[in-house]
Amino acid sequence: MKSGRRSPIYIDLRVVISYPKLMDELSKLMWNFAAPSISKYDTVCGVPYTALPIATLISVRENVPMLIRRKEAKGYGTKKLIEGDINVGDVCVIIEDVVTTGSSVLETVADLRGAGLKVTDAIVIVDREQGGPENLQNEGIKCHSVCTLMQIISILKESGKVDSIMVEKVKAYLEDNNDVTPIYPVVKTSKATIPFETRAQQAPCEVSKLLLKLMARKKSNLCVAVDVDQANDLIDLAKLLAPHICILKTHADLTKNFTGEISRQLHALAKQADFMVLEDRKFADIGNTVAKQYSGGCFEVSRWADLVTVHSLPGDGIVKALEEENAKIEEPRGCFLLAEMSSEGNLITTEYIKGSTQMASKFPKTVAGLVCQSLLLADQPGIVQLTPGVRRGEIKEDSLGQRWVTPEEAVIEKGGDVIVVGRGITGAKCPEKEAKLYQEELWAAYEKRIAI
Ligand code: 6AU
């Protein structure tokens, strides 16, 4: 067995691919038996490899889209672990041939949930009665098995294929090897499908906790990038947009006359109108330099910005520097690590993304979230996903490499928690009206994502 144990009986359903009619019948039997009792499904996914062709037959016949889970994520191209169109929050039914302890199913479930899908049901052909359904139940998955191992043995006995000694052997084996213990750590629920208020309770970073609460209270997951030339315009826009945003994002160095007085006004307005300020400084130097850039210099960012953005490129020292500076400030402070970028041709690789997520996990009190384009650290509800590159309408790119997706795509397909919109709002005729539209659309997409 996969577990290394010796068993008097082994069921090999791989050979079924050599009998197309049988495979077709089997797939019909499985689906017709289980589907009526599954309340909601959007996709099916076969556990590699035996169940893959069976899942394919079900998908085609029932017109239910299919997903494939790679055993290893490939290191090139789209870097995906799950192939197929994923909508975060979609419900995926698992298709499997034989379930023993459930570990293979749970490996697949972990990756699917990690990608933001919900898994509530598995359809299997044979339950070997060794703890599989119980272990799946412990992870919130109902196991629909067409038959059990003992039913098969009885049929084989009736038709004279096995003798009663073998039947007793199998019975004794099953009694001794009924293993109801979780074997594989599973992401119970991807953070993308957990409400912000619940995630707030689980966040180790104080700013992330406050931000998630603020978002739930204000029903806003909109961050506006106010990249305007004049500081007065920044303050005017901040006042107009305040009711609709959870974060106002600045680039202090692109706004003329961004003085200490302006940052004080912004800070006061944020407190009064219930939003946070994120200075998108994208620090990227050695820790010693960043500490000075963060607390000193012409902007004294740490005095007024609840959050800053930071590149992970220089290594741990950059976050340590912020952590040390934050310890000198009374108000809670945090940062967003850049794991992925929205711009065409950026040089970020799979390894770099992995390094950034590992770095984020090392500093749970300081890293409030990740700036990224896909669902990362799905098992860490406190890590807020900030996704830029979003705009309504037909325009999908600018002339300098920026790429935009729709608000719904950013929330549902990419798993964004806080969505950054810049020119889509600041360039509109009436930014306030536009911000309201974005707020409503983004919040509706979030509600859709967390609903079963
Ligand atoms: O909607 P836009 O294109 O007008 O503005 C997008 C904003 C800009 C960028 O500096 C920023 O989002 N941004 C970031 C951030 C927030 O770090 C990362 C990224 O990959 N892409 C991106 O556009 O203020």
Side-chain angles (χ1 to χ4, degrees), residues 2-15:
K2 190 180 170 190
S3 63
R5 287 181 193 149
R6 294 178 64 82
S7 161
I9 181 164
Y10 185 79
I11 298 176
D12 183 4
L13 288 176
R14 288 179 200 91
V15 73

Side-chain angles (χ1 to χ4, degrees), residues 226-227 249-255 258 279-282:
V226 189
D227 298 337
K249 191 172 81 62
T250 55
H251 279 294
D253 58 355
L254 66 69
T255 300
F258 196 101
E279 163 56 13
D280 192 3
R281 176 62 180 76
K282 296 195 180 66

Side-chain angles (χ1 to χ4, degrees), residues 218-220 237-246 273-275 432 439:
K218 224 173 156 181
K219 291 195 183 339
S220 174
L237 268 172
K239 286 179 187 161
L240 277 179
L241 303 176
H244 307 294
I245 58 175
C246 61
D274 202 19
F275 63 83
E432 189 193 354
Q439 179 196 3

Side-chain angles (χ1 to χ4, degrees), residues 125-162:
I125 304 168
V126 186
D127 166 16
R128 284 187 55 111
E129 299 171 277
Q130 286 172 253
E134 292 82 354
N135 285 332
L136 295 186
Q137 196 58 56
N138 286 339
E139 299 296 342
I141 300 154
K142 184 165 176 15
C143 180
H144 308 259
S145 50
V146 174
C147 60
T148 63
L149 187 59
M150 277 322 290
Q151 285 173 327
I152 293 181
I153 287 288
S154 307
I155 293 165
L156 290 175
K157 167 89 187 344
E158 275 166 32
S159 43
K161 304 280 184 191
V162 296

Side-chain angles (χ1 to χ4, degrees), residues 356-415:
S356 303
T357 54
Q358 282 167 351
M359 202 162 143
S361 309
K362 271 193 226 164
F363 300 95
K365 290 204 180 315
T366 304
V367 178
L370 296 169
V371 181
C372 55
Q373 296 292 317
S374 62
L375 183 62
L376 302 171
L377 295 180
D379 58 343
Q380 295 189 30
I383 293 285
V384 177
Q385 177 174 332
L386 188 87
T387 299
V390 177
R391 189 171 183 151
R392 299 169 75 229
E394 296 306 306
I395 313 173
K396 294 289 164 214
E397 58 191 25
D398 69 8
S399 60
L400 299 173
Q402 174 68 307
R403 293 173 295 190
W404 288 297
V405 298
T406 65
E408 175 142 331
E409 280 167 347
V411 175
I412 307 259
E413 288 174 27
K414 297 188 170 222

Side-chain angles (χ1 to χ4, degrees), residues 237-296:
L237 268 172
K239 286 179 187 161
L240 277 179
L241 303 176
H244 307 294
I245 58 175
C246 61
I247 296 181
L248 184 134
K249 191 172 81 62
T250 55
H251 279 294
D253 58 355
L254 66 69
T255 300
K256 251 190 206 133
N257 306 319
F258 196 101
T259 57
E261 178 49 29
I262 292 292
S263 57
R264 261 187 295 279
Q265 279 185 34
L266 193 58
H267 185 254
L269 186 61
K271 293 278 161 284
Q272 180 208 324
D274 202 19
F275 63 83
M276 284 192 177
V277 178
L278 163 63
E279 163 56 13
D280 192 3
R281 176 62 180 76
K282 296 195 180 66
F283 293 109
D285 216 315
I286 58 164
N288 185 60
T289 305
V290 168
K292 290 170 189 283
Q293 290 174 316
Y294 181 47
S295 298

